[in-house]
Amino acid sequence: MNFFPTPYPDEILYSTLARYCMRSGNIKEIHNFEDLFGTRNCIAVMELSTQLDALIENMPVGTKYTAEYFIYKHTLFPFLAAFIPKERAEKIIETMRNGEGAVSYMRIGLISNSINLNKYFRFCPECFKEDIERFGEPYWHRSHQVTGVFVCLKHKIPLCDSTELIRAGNRQRFISASCKNCIVEKEISYSNDLMKKMLWMAGDVEILLNNQFGFKKTEWFRNQFRVKLIEKGYARMNNYIHQKKLKQDFVDFYGHEYLALVQSPVSVNSGGWLPDMVRNNDRTTYSIRYLLLARFLEIPVADLFNTKLGSNDEDENNIDAYQELWDQRLIELTQSGLSIREISDILKSSTKTIRKAIDRLEIEEFWKFNGGGKYLHSKFTDTEEFRMKRERLRGKWLEIHAQYPDKSSSQIRKNNDGVYAWLKRYDSEWMEENYRRIKTVVNTVDWDKRDAELLPKVKEVIKEMKEGKPERITWSTVGGKLGISGWLSKRKEKLPLTKAYIDSELESLEEFHIRKIKWGIEELERQGKEITLWNIAETACVKPRYMEGIYKEIKQILNNRGYDCNFKF
């Protein structure tokens, strides 16, 4: 190359290469690739440019550009790779310098995750005007091409889609921004609430793009989030996380609409990306999601990378300072006369965790035993407190039974379940000996009598079903009318009279349609309406496709009433 354009502020390398192609004078696009990379065997990619070592080698003599400069200053690598481990990041850098574009996308996780990258190049109308005034030409801004960024941070207005596809058509040509492909077809507007969140995200993304924080292991970010989760009451010291509360508050903070826009929806009743991020695993996800969680937990982006949250500044290798604070708080609470249950509620930890910490910190036992299993070094059933409580509850159980001599223990325990549960657990043999069981006498049904009583009711119901607007006569409908549909058809063999009558009145679907049509014709006559196919179908609520199957019967009914039947189905 005899020249190379100077990259503009916030210009993505793809755009700089496109400006070279515009000025190169090459008739065929493929010749530009030979100038830039010394080969035709590569494609134009926007987010993570490739063959950068070859590009540097083909530049004019004396150039000061390096592959690392382009990677960190003019590609989306600083954003996309911000949260991946150092080993993976170095492999991606190596691929961007000498490898194929698809490999970089796979290693960074853009192919396997659920994020759909932007389809079109994006631009800010105000930046577009300013670039022409300042540089004499427009260009594609790096910060505008991030999937999940919808506004220009500088002008605080929505970004627009250009007409140029990022991943379609001829992949061996670089396309520059121009007045032809950057047209504002319609004004875009968002609510104030959405704009506020979009500006948050645009600002956090720009921090990632413009800073080299250094790569951290997945565990680093998980620990950073864990400290804040504990601090805000979403997690315990034993790594238990209140997932449902976390997800509900997260959704309340951002709203379903914004989370859907950034392709990070959260369902309160199922798993998803948010629970995965705070669990103990080594998975990485799209950078936007780390920024969403950091903002929710009030962690500035710089602190997320540079400040070890919960650590002792004097000793980096010390245990979390939060653990020390938690221990100090526990000691204070044990001296306040509270029970372990009350302390566990205050510290958002289980009673088991509290008891283990008391043992670890060698805190003297400070409680009176009240049946909750709080002894650390002796069995509850060997204590005097246990024997006293057992005698007291035995007496209460016998006293209640004396008050209600006609009730069984099952009935009595409904209002005294605590007494029963304790004795069942700790004194099961005694409970079994003193459990009152009353044999209940099952009243047998006189089915002959029931059959005789039911028959006239069934006849009356069927008569009403025939006289009014037609209803199909079945066991279910008859039982439903009488309020006994739950057992009528199941016990019909025990009701011979009723069964014989209902079976004689049962209708097939065709018979029911015929009865409905007779009723429909009578209704039309009563209303003085014309007897037509559609009027009959609408009034009788019988579809023409069913009427076609009983055409002969319909014709007979109409002929008997003096009508011609010349319907065509």
Side-chain angles (χ1 to χ4, degrees), residues 213-228:
F213 289 115
F215 301 105
K216 306 283 188 182
K217 293 183 178 180
T218 308
E219 184 182 4
W220 167 274
F221 299 108
R222 187 169 60 246
N223 289 338
Q224 296 286 79
F225 292 138
R226 175 174 170 265
V227 170
K228 284 294 184 178

Side-chain angles (χ1 to χ4, degrees), residues 346-364:
I346 293 171
L347 294 179
K348 306 296 183 185
S349 300
S350 67
T351 53
K352 185 177 180 181
T353 301
I354 299 296
R355 290 198 298 271
K356 285 182 178 179
I358 287 171
D359 208 15
R360 172 174 56 82
L361 297 171
E362 298 181 348
I363 298 172
E364 285 190 28

Side-chain angles (χ1 to χ4, degrees), residues 494-511:
K494 296 180 181 289
L495 306 165
L497 299 177
T498 303
K499 180 178 183 300
Y501 182 75
I502 293 179
D503 284 347
S504 68
E505 296 290 341
L506 292 178
E507 297 176 300
S508 66
L509 187 60
E510 288 186 350
E511 289 171 337

Side-chain angles (χ1 to χ4, degrees), residues 39 80 125 153-154 160 162 207 237 245 250 263 295 301 346 369 380 385 402 410 427 461 463 469-470 522 539 543:
T39 180
L80 295 173
L153 186 63
K154 179 180 180 181
C160 299
S162 70
I207 292 172
M237 292 300 297
K245 183 177 186 297
F250 190 85
Q263 302 182 61
R295 171 74 64 169
V301 176
I346 293 171
F369 187 78
F380 172 41
E385 286 89 347
S410 296
D427 205 8
V461 165
K463 180 182 176 183
K469 186 175 180 179
E522 291 172 0
T539 305
K543 295 181 179 180

Side-chain angles (χ1 to χ4, degrees), residues 235-253:
R236 299 174 183 168
M237 292 300 297
N238 63 354
N239 289 327
Y240 175 82
I241 297 172
H242 303 278
Q243 293 284 6
K244 192 169 183 178
K245 183 177 186 297
L246 171 63
K247 290 191 283 187
Q248 185 60 64
D249 289 356
F250 190 85
V251 170
D252 291 344
F253 183 79

